[in-house]
Amino acid sequence: MIERLFRVSERGSTIPRELRGGLVTFMAMAYIIVLNPLILGSVTATDPSAKTDALGGILPLAQVAAVTALVAGVMTILFGVLANYPFAIATGLGINTLLAVTIAPLMSWPEAMGLVVINGFIIVILAATGFRTAVFNAVPTELKTAIAVGIGAFIAMIGLVDSGFVRRLPDAANTTVPVGLGIDGSIASWPTFVFVLGLLIVGVLVARGVRAGILIGVVLNTIIAIVVEALTRVGPGGPDNPGGWSLAVPELPSQIVGMPDLSLVGEVSFGAFARLDILTVVLLIFTLVLANFFDAMGTLTGLGRQAGLNDAQDKLPNVGRALVVEGAGAVAGGAASSSSNTLFVESAAGIAEGARTGLANVLTGLLFLLAMFFTPLYAIVPVEAAAPALVVVGALMFRQITSIELDDLRTAIPVFLTVVVMPFTYSIANGIGAGFISYVLLAATTGRARQVHPLMWVVAVLFVGYFGVGPLRELLG
Ligand SMILES: Nc1nc2[nH]cnc2c(=O)[nH]1
C-alpha cells in the first residue's frame, strides 16, 4: 500500500532508503525549532534584545518553538502525501528575519502574521491559476541551474554562519569588512572545533560513498559535542561568552517530555490596513510575495534536479500541485504565528541520502510533530554538529555548475550574480532577482530581446520593483 501510494520502486528507491532520507532531512532541519523562536520571539518585553512590535508586544519563545514544530510537521506530511516529493517544509529564515526586522516594528505581531497569511493566499491563487507554473517553465535552463548552484552556496553559508566559523565583525571594529573567520580571525573555540572536525568527518564519509554517511556523521558529531561539553563546560554562547555553543548546548537533558503550548495558533489580525497607509501595506505584501514565490521556485528546481526527478525539459512533473501546497504553507505559518513556511533547501541532505518520494517527508513531518513533545531531546543536537551536513550538501549542489556553458558572458554574468548574491545577501529571492534582471538586460542590449520568454520580461520588471521598494518608500516618506 505504502509502495503504491508513494510509487517508491518506480522512482528507483526502497522504503528503508526513504526512511533514512526522511530522518536525515529532519536532523538537518531540526535546528529551526530552536532558531525560529530566537529570531521571532523574546523572553520578556523588557529584554534589551526583545523583538517587540509597535505596541510593545512579543511572541514568547516556548510558544514559537511549539508552533514552529507543529506547522513544519503538518505541512511536510501534506506535501509528501499530495505532491509525493521528498521536499520538507518549515519556517523560512529569509522571511522570518524580514518580519522581525522590518514588518513587526511597524504594527502588532498578529497584524504582521496577517500579512503573511495574505501573502500565502496570493501565492496559492497564483499557483492554482497556473501562473506560477507558467513562470517556472519560462525560466531558461542555465538560470535554473544557477539557482540550484546558488542555493548550494547559500546553504553552505548558513552552515558556516550558524556554526560560528564565519562571523559578523563587531560594529565597533570600524572596518568595511563585514565578516571574518571565527573570533578575531581564529577558530580556536570548542564549538567551532567540533564543527571543523565534523566537516572533515562528514566530508570523508560522503566522499567515500558510505551509506547513510550524512546521518552517521551528524550522530558522531553530536556524540563528540556532548563529550567536549562534558569536559570543557563552555556553555551557551552570547556577548560575554563568544566561544560558547551558538544555540543548543549539547548536554543530556534532565527532562525529556513536555506538553507543547499552542496558544499562538489563530493569533492573526488584518488590522495593518487600518494602522498604516494602504501603499505601505501593499508594498510590504508585494515584497513578501516575491521573496516567497521565487525562493520556493528555486528550491523546487534545485531539489528536483538533485533528486533526478525533473523530466527531459528540466520540468518537475505535477509542479502545479506542489506549488499550491507550498503556498498553503505560507498561510498555515502565518495563521499559527510561526511565519511563512516554505520548502527547505536542507531537504537536499535527505535526497543525498537516497530519498526520492513523499514517504521520506511523512517521516520528517512525524518527527517534527513528535519534537513538539520532546523539545528538550532534539535540543541535544547542537548546530555545530548539524552544520557540516549543510556545507557538504552545499558542495553536492554546487557541482551542477559544470553543466552550464559559461563561455558567453550574456550567460556567465547573470549566472554568476545569481550564485553570489544568494549567500551574500542571505536570500534566495535576491539572487534570483539579480540573475533575472541582468539576464533580460544583457539579452536586450545585445540583440537577443526576442529570444527571451515574455514572462521573463514581466518577472524582471517585477524584480526591479522588488529592489526598488525600499528606495521608493523613502522617496514617498
Ligand atoms: N529555501 C529555503 N530554505 C531555507 N532553509 C532555511 N531557511 C530557508 C529559507 O528561507 N528558504
Side-chain angles (χ1 to χ4, degrees), residues 16-76:
R17 244 172 75 175
E18 292 303 308
L19 298 181
R20 212 164 58 219
L23 176 61
V24 167
T25 294
F26 173 74
M27 294 193 73
M29 289 174 62
Y31 74 86
I32 197 67
I33 312 176
V34 188
L35 187 57
N36 195 36
L38 295 184
I39 292 174
L40 297 179
S42 319
V43 182
T44 66
T46 50
D47 264 358
S49 61
K51 316 291 184 319
T52 45
D53 60 22
L55 311 179
I58 58 158
L59 298 176
L61 285 185
Q63 295 175 24
V64 179
V67 291
T68 303
L70 172 73
V71 182
V74 171
M75 289 314 306
T76 298

Side-chain angles (χ1 to χ4, degrees), residues 2-8 11 18 22 71-90 300 309 318 321-326 343 347 355-366:
I2 289 180
E3 162 68 43
R4 252 189 304 129
L5 187 64
F6 294 101
R7 297 184 286 152
V8 177
R11 297 247 174 105
E18 292 303 308
V71 182
V74 171
M75 289 314 306
T76 298
I77 292 173
L78 267 182
F79 190 87
V81 172
L82 295 175
N84 196 23
Y85 289 121
F87 310 156
I89 289 180
L300 259 182
L309 293 168
N318 278 327
R321 188 194 292 206
L323 290 170
V324 171
V325 183
E326 191 278 334
L343 292 161
S347 314
R356 292 294 178 271
T357 77
L359 178 57
N361 257 39
V362 173
L363 181 63
T364 308
L366 286 175

Side-chain angles (χ1 to χ4, degrees), residues 52-57 102-115 268-282 284 473:
T52 45
D53 60 22
L55 311 179
T102 308
I103 301 184
L106 298 173
M107 55 192 80
S108 73
W109 273 112
E111 286 162 359
M113 292 300 169
L115 296 195
V268 184
S269 153
F270 297 103
F273 291 94
R275 188 181 303 283
L276 299 168
D277 65 284
I278 188 89
L279 182 66
T280 302
V281 180
V282 169
L284 290 174
R473 288 190 65 219

Side-chain angles (χ1 to χ4, degrees), residues 31 91-95 154 158 295 299 342-346 428:
Y31 74 86
T91 303
L93 286 178
I95 289 195
F154 175 52
I158 292 177
D295 183 338
T299 308
T342 188
L343 292 161
F344 250 45
V345 286
E346 286 85 344
I428 293 174

Side-chain angles (χ1 to χ4, degrees), residues 28-257:
M29 289 174 62
Y31 74 86
I32 197 67
I33 312 176
V34 188
L35 187 57
N36 195 36
L38 295 184
I39 292 174
L40 297 179
S42 319
V43 182
T44 66
T46 50
D47 264 358
S49 61
K51 316 291 184 319
T52 45
D53 60 22
L55 311 179
I58 58 158
L59 298 176
L61 285 185
Q63 295 175 24
V64 179
V67 291
T68 303
L70 172 73
V71 182
V74 171
M75 289 314 306
T76 298
I77 292 173
L78 267 182
F79 190 87
V81 172
L82 295 175
N84 196 23
Y85 289 121
F87 310 156
I89 289 180
T91 303
L93 286 178
I95 289 195
N96 65 1
T97 311
L98 185 70
L99 273 182
V101 175
T102 308
I103 301 184
L106 298 173
M107 55 192 80
S108 73
W109 273 112
E111 286 162 359
M113 292 300 169
L115 296 195
V116 176
V117 170
I118 294 172
N119 148 64
F121 275 120
I122 294 173
I123 300 240
V124 169
I125 291 167
L126 292 176
T129 53
F131 180 77
R132 223 178 167 194
T133 311
V135 173
F136 192 81
N137 293 337
V139 179
T141 298
E142 54 272 30
L143 274 192
K144 278 192 184 156
T145 309
I147 291 170
V149 173
I151 290 173
F154 175 52
I155 132 172
M157 182 70 175
I158 292 177
L160 292 171
V161 170
D162 288 357
S163 65
F165 188 85
V166 170
R167 290 182 201 235
R168 178 187 298 142
L169 297 185
D171 291 340
N174 256 339
T175 163
T176 50
V177 179
V179 292
L181 174 71
I183 303 166
D184 295 334
S186 161
I187 54 166
S189 77
W190 283 109
T192 311
F193 167 74
V194 168
F195 164 76
V196 173
L197 186 62
L199 186 56
L200 297 176
I201 291 173
V202 177
V204 169
L205 289 171
V206 171
R208 288 184 60 93
V210 174
R211 270 173 135 213
I214 294 175
L215 175 59
I216 295 170
V218 173
V219 171
L220 274 179
N221 298 347
T222 304
I223 294 170
I224 293 170
I226 291 170
V227 172
V228 165
E229 173 60 20
L231 294 177
T232 63
R233 295 274 158 218
V234 287
D240 32 327
N241 185 21
W245 302 93
S246 78
L247 285 177
V249 176
E251 288 172 318
L252 296 175
S254 53
Q255 186 202 346
I256 290 179
V257 191

